[in-house]
Amino acid sequence: MTTTILLTRNDHGIQLRFTCQDREGNPVDLTDREVHFLLESNGEILNADRSLCENIDPPAGKASYTVDAADTGQTGILKGRLRLQNENLQVENLEPIAVQVKE
């Protein structure tokens, strides 16, 4: 996992910015792709209905996700995962990201 994202319980409105990269560290072109940031706890996706990110600079692989209060309703370590999906419904999962929600 990469750097841990630190949040506080009931945080909301915080914008998380990501640069999607391939295994060699090159930006993944997000043109014609949806980016979803999935938050998981004990195998359950907490934000399945609101995981869509905003592509802020698609050619540079940059996207952002705005944290909802429901994302941080519980404390502990969550697993964040960026999922890229193209128009042909091909899915690519990027390396997991640890998200710590503290009191």
Side-chain angles (χ1 to χ4, degrees), residues 1-14:
M1 287 194 194
T2 59
T3 303
T4 301
I5 295 171
L6 300 174
L7 298 170
T8 301
R9 186 175 186 177
N10 298 320
D11 269 349
H12 63 283
I14 296 170

Side-chain angles (χ1 to χ4, degrees), residues 12-82:
H12 63 283
I14 296 170
Q15 189 176 60
L16 305 176
R17 294 177 181 250
F18 304 101
T19 300
C20 300
Q21 300 176 328
D22 63 18
R23 295 194 188 279
E24 287 78 40
N26 301 310
V28 174
D29 188 349
L30 302 176
T31 305
D32 300 325
R33 291 188 186 188
E34 285 185 354
V35 178
H36 293 265
F37 181 62
L38 303 171
L39 282 168
E40 297 178 25
S41 175
N42 299 319
E44 177 185 348
I45 297 175
L46 302 175
N47 64 333
D49 60 341
R50 60 183 181 284
S51 65
L52 186 63
C53 294
E54 177 185 354
N55 286 349
I56 54 177
D57 186 352
K62 296 186 182 293
S64 68
Y65 175 78
T66 302
V67 174
D68 186 276
D71 299 340
T72 58
Q74 63 180 342
T75 59
I77 301 289
L78 307 176
K79 182 170 80 171
R81 189 165 24 101
L82 288 167

Side-chain angles (χ1 to χ4, degrees), residues 30 32-36 83-92:
L30 302 176
D32 300 325
R33 291 188 186 188
E34 285 185 354
V35 178
H36 293 265
R83 175 176 284 173
L84 312 181
Q85 184 173 325
N86 69 15
E87 59 192 28
N88 297 325
L89 302 179
Q90 292 175 313
V91 172
E92 178 182 357

